[in-house]
Amino acid sequence: MDKIKQISNKFIEENTYFLELITELKQSFSSNEVIVPMRHHHDFPNPEVNADSTLLLMPAWNPSKNAGVKIVTVSPENGQFDLPSIQGTYIYFDAVKGSIKAILEAKSLTVIRTAAASALASSYLSREDSSTLLMIGTGALSINLIKAHAAVRPIKNVFIWGRNFNKAVAISEALKNENFTITPIRTIEEKIAEVAIVSCATLSKTPLILGKYLQKGQHIDLVGAYKKDMREADDETISKASIYLDTFQGGLKESGDIVIPLQNETLKKEDIKADLFQLCSNQKSGRNNQKEITVFKSVGHALEDLAAVNYYYNKFINEYNL
C-alpha cells in the first residue's frame, strides 16, 4: 500500500499561482464530470463561547479518477483564542481503489480555493479595466482575495477595512511589496463609491454594503455570510444588481444574502442570471455592459476543493519526484 501523502498549509501557501489555480477551477466547472452531492451543514451549540459552531462535510467524486471529502468546522468566536474561525482536513481518495492518496490541511486550501473562485467569477463579471478594489474584512481570506482579484484584473489601488483597524494596517504591511498600493481605511463609506470591485468576507449579521452608495459599473464579491441569518449586502444592493452564484445548489439555500431577499421578494429565483457552471461552459454570459452592477455570491462548493486538491497533489508529486 502506498504511503499516504501529508500536504501541509505551508506547502499549499508556497505553491499557489492564482492564474494556474483559477484555470483549474474553470476547467472543472466547464467539464461537468464531477459529481457533488449537497453538502452536510450541521450547526451545533458551543455554550462556552455563547455561539453556535458549524460542521461541514463536503464530498465530491470524479468517477474512476479521484474523490475526496472536506471536513470543516467554523467557529465564529475563535478570535478570542487567537485562532482562525475555519479549521479542517481534506481526505483525498483514489476513486477506483478507494484508497487514501493524501491528507491535506484544509485551512489554506479553503481560503485559497475560495479566493480563486471569486477571481474566476470576476473574470466574467467585473469590468476588464478594473484597477481599484475595496476589501471589507481582515480575516484569513482577505490577503488571498486581494491577490486573486489582482491576478485577473489590473488592480493598482487596494483599500482595506475591518472592525479592527490595526488588522487592516497589518495586512497592508504584509502586502506592501505587491504590484499595487494598499491603504487601510477607517470607514467603508469613504471609498465604496470610488472602487471598481468590492470584495467582502466577514461573519456579519447586518449588511455592510449598502446599495445607496453603489455606482454604475461596479462588481460586488460576497464571500462571507455563510448562514441564513447573516448578510453582507442590503436589499437595495440586490435590487440594483445582476445576481450570480457560485452554484444554484448551495447559493439558493445557505446564505442570508440570497435567502432573505428571496423570502421578502426583493429577489426572484428566475432573476438570478447564472452560476459558475453556466458561465464557465458558456451557457450564459457574464457582464453585459460597462454600466451594469454585478453581484457574485459565493457559499463554497466541493468541486472547488477537489479541483484545488488535484492541483496541489500534482505539484506535491512533482516537487518530490514521487
Side-chain angles (χ1 to χ4, degrees), residues 7 14 26 53 72 81 95-96 115 159 164 226 237 283 313:
I7 303 179
E14 291 178 351
K26 182 176 181 179
S53 291
V72 169
F81 306 116
V96 176
F159 305 95
N164 184 328
Y226 67 95
T237 298
Q283 295 177 42
Y313 182 80

Side-chain angles (χ1 to χ4, degrees), residues 218-234:
Q218 289 182 302
H219 172 59
I220 313 300
D221 173 39
L222 303 177
V223 185
Y226 67 95
K227 288 185 177 181
K228 294 177 183 178
D229 63 345
M230 293 178 171
R231 292 198 73 174
E232 294 186 311
D234 66 356

Side-chain angles (χ1 to χ4, degrees), residues 127-151:
R127 300 195 317 268
E128 291 186 5
D129 64 352
S130 296
S131 62
T132 50
L133 169 71
L134 169 59
M135 183 70 236
I136 299 174
T138 54
L141 264 165
S142 56
I143 286 178
N144 288 290
L145 280 164
I146 293 166
K147 288 182 175 181
H149 279 291

Side-chain angles (χ1 to χ4, degrees), residues 47-65:
E48 185 171 330
V49 295
N50 196 33
D52 284 356
S53 291
T54 301
L55 173 68
L56 300 171
L57 305 176
M58 303 174 67
W61 300 272
N62 193 338
S64 294
K65 293 184 179 178

Side-chain angles (χ1 to χ4, degrees), residues 63-111:
S64 294
K65 293 184 179 178
N66 45 57
V69 60
K70 187 169 72 175
I71 306 167
V72 169
T73 57
V74 184
S75 301
E77 300 301 316
N78 266 8
Q80 63 186 280
F81 306 116
D82 198 27
L83 291 170
S85 58
I86 298 172
Q87 307 278 333
T89 295
Y90 195 96
I91 305 173
Y92 185 51
F93 297 95
D94 180 314
V96 176
K97 302 171 186 174
S99 54
I100 297 175
K101 298 170 70 173
I103 296 176
L104 298 88
E105 294 187 54
K107 179 175 73 71
S108 294
L109 174 72
T110 300
V111 296

Side-chain angles (χ1 to χ4, degrees), residues 194-260:
E194 300 177 14
V195 296
I197 299 172
V198 180
S199 185
C200 191
T202 72
L203 300 174
S204 183
K205 291 195 173 184
T206 56
L208 299 169
I209 297 172
L210 305 182
K212 65 183 180 181
Y213 295 115
L214 299 184
Q215 303 298 313
K216 292 178 181 179
Q218 289 182 302
H219 172 59
I220 313 300
D221 173 39
L222 303 177
V223 185
Y226 67 95
K227 288 185 177 181
K228 294 177 183 178
D229 63 345
M230 293 178 171
R231 292 198 73 174
E232 294 186 311
D234 66 356
D235 283 346
E236 186 174 347
T237 298
I238 300 301
S239 64
K240 292 174 75 169
S242 298
I243 310 299
Y244 296 81
L245 306 175
D246 54 354
T247 70
F248 281 98
Q249 183 189 52
L252 293 173
K253 300 176 181 179
E254 296 191 16
S255 172
D257 278 316
I258 300 298
V259 171
I260 295 171

